[in-house]
Amino acid sequence: MAESAANMGYAHVLSKKRAEANDALRKLPITIESRVIVGVAITQDAQKLDHFFSLDDEEKMIMVKKLGGVEVV
């Protein structure tokens, strides 16, 4: 039972982080289509989600471009 409660708590935290990721992506100068594509890529993987929030805005843009298939030099 405790494990079930812990899993529910973790799922709630991930749900909140997914919403926060969308809010963070809205602040970046990208198209809605890019935000949707990259948002799905980021939020399907907890490690990508954690990494995204560890970055500053410039680094987030690089991650967004890479996940969106844009060449970054």
Side-chain angles (χ1 to χ4, degrees), residues 4-44:
S4 178
N7 287 339
M8 287 176 47
Y10 181 70
H12 177 73
V13 168
L14 281 180
S15 177
K16 185 176 179 190
K17 283 285 196 187
R18 285 190 292 268
E20 290 172 6
N22 192 43
D23 290 342
L25 288 168
R26 285 178 194 266
K27 295 175 185 172
L28 299 176
I30 58 175
T31 65
I32 294 170
E33 182 178 2
S34 292
R35 187 177 79 228
V36 171
I37 292 168
V38 173
V40 168
I42 291 170
T43 60
Q44 286 183 340

Side-chain angles (χ1 to χ4, degrees), residues 18-72:
R18 285 190 292 268
E20 290 172 6
N22 192 43
D23 290 342
L25 288 168
R26 285 178 194 266
K27 295 175 185 172
L28 299 176
I30 58 175
T31 65
I32 294 170
E33 182 178 2
S34 292
R35 187 177 79 228
V36 171
I37 292 168
V38 173
V40 168
I42 291 170
T43 60
Q44 286 183 340
D45 183 330
Q47 289 177 325
K48 281 183 185 159
L49 192 59
D50 289 342
H51 183 65
F52 179 76
F53 283 110
S54 73
L55 304 173
D56 65 27
D57 286 346
E58 183 179 353
E59 294 165 332
K60 283 178 183 163
M61 275 304 301
I62 293 170
M63 184 176 185
V64 164
K65 289 177 181 177
K66 293 297 276 184
L67 290 172
V70 175
E71 182 69 26
V72 178

